[in-house]
Amino acid sequence: DIQMTQSPSTLSASVGDRVTITCRASQSLSNWVAWYQQKPGKAPKLLIYKASTLESGVPLRFSGSGSGTEFTLTITSLQPDDFATYYCQQYSSQLTFGGGTKVEIK
Amino acid sequence: QVQLRESGPGLVKPSETLFLTCSVAGSSISSGYYWGWVRQPPGQGLEWLGAVYHGVDTSYKSSLKSRVTISVDTSKNQFSLKLQSVTAADTAIYFCARSQCSYALCPFDLWGQGTLVTVSS
């Protein structure tokens, strides 16, 4: 099975900060990576797929990049609504989620 | 508007079988998407369990393959999860979801609200 290692596990940031979350895969994925946002008590929300394609309705401050084994999610100017947990997911071979990154208020 | 809703017992005894159903409204379950299950133990991360396409193809997480069955009931427009021989480690919120792609297993763009299943005697 493909493993997804996400870092950091927790990130403290302030409104307006630029935030970057990284995901490393145990083998090459081409660009078959997605990113989700999850808030407490809610289902995950798809933000990005194919490593860099923004899902409809997702704010432009979210962006994704990477290919092969290393991928990043960037939030250019953190907003109050963005404090949440973020997960990467590979879908090159079945599906695997990363361990998650909690973005908390500094 | 497509909506998914999980239903099933909130409490299951150890060694027994967990059975959940996901009802799909606003779309036919035969419409060419993969439908899947994801779980999340309290305070922990997400774990993909498996998915089914049209009742024709299924895909399961390797480590759970011997215990998991996902099936489709087209007459009721729903799909289900069966997890055998449960232990306390199977206590989690269980989500059903729809893959965003037609005819392929892709990220999930539609989710149910989730249902908590506790394994305890």
Side-chain angles (χ1 to χ4, degrees):
Chain A
D1 292 5
I2 298 174
Q3 307 302 316
M4 300 294 282
T5 304
Q6 198 173 330
S7 62
S9 55
T10 306
L11 188 160
S12 297
S14 303
V15 172
D17 283 354
R18 178 185 179 93
V19 164
T20 299
I21 299 168
T22 298
C23 221
R24 288 187 173 85
S26 59
Q27 63 189 72
S28 181
L29 306 175
S30 182
N31 63 349
W32 303 118
V33 166
W35 292 91
Y36 296 83
Q37 176 193 68
Q38 187 182 32
K39 296 183 178 179
K42 299 293 186 181
K45 173 187 174 184
L46 180 63
L47 298 176
I48 288 169
Y49 59 96
K50 272 193 204 170
S52 61
T53 302
L54 216 59
E55 174 73 343
S56 176
V58 174
L60 295 177
R61 62 181 180 272
F62 290 92
S63 65
S65 64
S67 65
T69 61
E70 188 156 332
F71 301 87
T72 59
L73 172 70
T74 300
I75 310 171
T76 52
S77 177
L78 200 65
Q79 297 301 301
D81 191 49
D82 302 337
F83 291 99
T85 301
Y86 294 85
Y87 295 91
C88 61
Q89 179 198 53
Q90 68 80 19
Y91 55 107
S92 173
S93 174
Q94 296 193 326
L95 302 176
T96 311
F97 288 96
T101 296
K102 183 178 181 180
V103 177
E104 58 181 26
I105 300 172
K106 193 172 186 178
Chain B
Q1 184 182 0
V2 182
Q3 292 186 316
L4 284 66
R5 185 167 66 183
E6 306 88 350
S7 60
L11 181 65
V12 181
K13 288 183 168 55
S15 79
E16 295 190 345
T17 296
L18 178 159
F19 191 85
L20 295 174
T21 297
C22 183
S23 298
V24 180
S27 173
S28 169
I29 201 160
S30 302
S31 56
Y33 294 95
Y34 274 81
W35 305 88
W37 291 93
V38 173
R39 71 180 179 181
Q40 184 171 38
Q44 297 184 40
L46 301 168
E47 179 184 28
W48 174 74
L49 303 181
V52 63
Y53 169 71
H54 230 301
V56 171
D57 181 45
T58 52
S59 181
Y60 300 122
K61 180 174 180 174
S62 300
S63 61
L64 294 172
K65 198 169 186 176
S66 63
R67 297 199 293 134
V68 173
T69 304
I70 297 175
S71 58
V72 168
D73 186 337
T74 54
S75 67
K76 295 181 179 178
N77 212 44
Q78 60 188 29
F79 63 105
S80 62
L81 169 72
K82 185 171 77 171
L83 181 64
Q84 298 175 293
S85 305
V86 298
T87 69
D90 295 310
T91 293
I93 297 169
Y94 286 76
F95 296 97
C96 62
R98 188 193 76 175
S99 182
Q100 68 170 167
C101 305
S102 298
Y103 312 108
L105 187 54
C106 286
F108 295 124
D109 64 344
L110 288 175
W111 295 71
Q113 83 278 9
T115 187
L116 175 64
V117 178
T118 301
V119 178
S120 174
S121 55

